[in-house]
Amino acid sequence: QNVTLETRKVFIFLPGNPGLVDFYLTMLRRLFEREKGNVWICAIGHAGHSEHCHDHDAKPISYQEQIQWKENFIKHEFGEWIYNAGVEVIVSGHSVGARMQLEVIKHFPNVNFVEYLGLCPTVMNIADSPNGRNATPHLASPWKRWLAFWIVRILAIITYPIPDFIKHPIVKFVMRRDSPLLDDHFVQYGSKLVNEYIIRNVLHMAHDEMCEIRDVEPFREIISTLKERIVFVLSPRDKWCCNNIVAQMRESFPEATFKVLSDNVPHAFCLSHDHIEEIISHIDFKK
């Protein structure tokens, strides 16, 4: 509120996979409050990952189509205004959202991007990570993705008439298998994923990630332009962005800034309020 519309900073955030913005709303609200409304915060979810944003008759949405969706959304939402020389744009992404933001920058060469921030980023060679090696054989199997579709469809039918007070602890139990620190607040958003068409899109995109997220050669110009304004925030326990991949990132982004979170912060930090303050402490709009 202390700056003009022409010079307001814009913070564009992309989530991981599944791409529900809901998981990040607390973090984004805290950022907005911290900046006293002087930053325009825009979070863009993934097409087909929301209960209100999927077409039963459409084919699964690919990774490249997701990137096109982001480009179209930004053009529609901001129009010519975002090309104003006085507008400073900060982009950030969690997990695969960090890789997607490199694609976004590439698609908007005339926008004034002043900073890039990757949170627990999977920007390169994701299939070589411990979790990637475990997931790739399953994601590469069409019949396993088909089986997951029908399992979730049956679960959706079974659980549809069940009251929320019964469904809630079931979803919470399943989510806590992978995220032991899950806050009860986020279970309501996990319940939205019990939809076979959403799961189909989530798995299809994940398969594409394993195949397509390799080196960062297509982004050499971006890397040489932004230099130290590229910031990576890493989790020491991240099995999607492990030490070997971090070493490759340091070679590929020689002038980037690397920050390390506390040992207890997981890759899926967005599922617990405990880590929000530490995460946003690394998001600096004053550069």
Side-chain angles (χ1 to χ4, degrees), residues 119-136:
L119 306 175
C120 300
T122 56
V123 294
M124 62 188 301
N125 299 329
I126 183 175
D128 297 333
S129 68
N131 281 356
R133 288 194 297 270
N134 291 333
T136 298

Side-chain angles (χ1 to χ4, degrees), residues 181 183 186 264-265 269 271-279:
L181 300 177
D183 282 351
F186 295 103
N264 65 330
V265 181
F269 65 82
L271 298 181
S272 172
H273 287 114
D274 294 346
H275 312 301
I276 288 176
E277 292 302 323
E278 182 174 358
I279 293 293

Side-chain angles (χ1 to χ4, degrees), residues 11-14 90-94 97-98 101 116-119 283:
F11 179 73
I12 300 176
F13 179 80
L14 301 183
I90 303 108
V91 293
S92 178
H94 173 219
Q101 287 291 27
Y116 163 96
L117 180 69
L119 306 175
I283 304 176

Side-chain angles (χ1 to χ4, degrees), residues 127-154:
D128 297 333
S129 68
N131 281 356
R133 288 194 297 270
N134 291 333
T136 298
H138 303 292
L139 294 170
S141 171
W143 78 264
K144 286 185 178 180
R145 298 201 303 271
W146 177 87
L147 180 63
F149 173 89
W150 282 102
I151 289 174
V152 174
R153 182 167 195 166
I154 292 169

Side-chain angles (χ1 to χ4, degrees), residues 45-232:
H46 300 328
H49 288 210
S50 165
E51 59 183 339
H52 304 298
C53 187
H54 59 77
D55 183 349
H56 294 187
D57 298 322
K59 64 182 180 64
I61 302 170
S62 70
Y63 174 73
Q64 291 300 326
E65 288 170 331
Q66 293 288 357
I67 294 168
Q68 186 64 51
W69 158 257
K70 309 298 182 289
E71 180 182 356
N72 293 342
F73 182 93
I74 291 170
K75 288 179 178 177
H76 179 269
E77 182 71 14
F78 295 102
E80 293 298 318
W81 174 81
I82 201 168
Y83 297 100
N84 188 312
V87 175
E88 297 182 344
V89 181
I90 303 108
V91 293
S92 178
H94 173 219
S95 192
V96 67
R99 172 77 177 209
M100 285 184 160
Q101 287 291 27
L102 292 174
E103 298 279 4
V104 167
I105 296 174
K106 185 179 177 182
H107 282 79
F108 290 92
N110 297 321
V111 170
N112 181 25
F113 293 104
V114 298
E115 186 178 6
Y116 163 96
L117 180 69
L119 306 175
C120 300
T122 56
V123 294
M124 62 188 301
N125 299 329
I126 183 175
D128 297 333
S129 68
N131 281 356
R133 288 194 297 270
N134 291 333
T136 298
H138 303 292
L139 294 170
S141 171
W143 78 264
K144 286 185 178 180
R145 298 201 303 271
W146 177 87
L147 180 63
F149 173 89
W150 282 102
I151 289 174
V152 174
R153 182 167 195 166
I154 292 169
L155 287 174
I157 293 172
I158 292 174
T159 59
Y160 181 77
I162 296 177
D164 286 342
F165 74 90
I166 297 177
K167 188 186 303 183
H168 185 94
I170 297 173
V171 174
K172 183 177 181 179
F173 171 78
V174 173
M175 292 180 69
R176 277 198 165 167
R177 292 184 63 187
D178 289 328
S179 303
L181 300 177
L182 172 76
D183 282 351
D184 194 71
H185 169 80
F186 295 103
V187 177
Q188 59 181 315
Y189 306 133
S191 298
K192 297 179 181 180
L193 297 173
V194 186
N195 178 291
E196 63 271 29
Y197 296 98
I198 293 176
I199 293 300
R200 180 188 64 175
N201 285 322
V202 166
L203 295 179
H204 187 79
M205 177 176 158
H207 170 251
D208 285 355
E209 292 171 36
M210 300 302 131
C211 298
E212 298 183 34
I213 298 180
R214 306 306 301 179
D215 61 44
V216 291
E217 285 304 316
F219 312 114
R220 279 291 154 214
E221 184 176 349
I222 296 169
I223 294 170
S224 62
T225 300
L226 288 179
K227 299 180 179 179
E228 73 281 355
R229 289 177 292 158
I230 294 176
V231 180
F232 293 115

Side-chain angles (χ1 to χ4, degrees), residues 237-258:
R237 56 187 290 191
D238 196 339
K239 292 184 178 180
W240 288 107
C241 184
C242 60
N243 291 337
N244 289 342
I245 293 178
V246 171
Q248 295 169 15
M249 289 167 59
R250 290 184 183 276
E251 291 182 5
S252 298
F253 299 85
E255 298 182 78
T257 302
F258 289 82

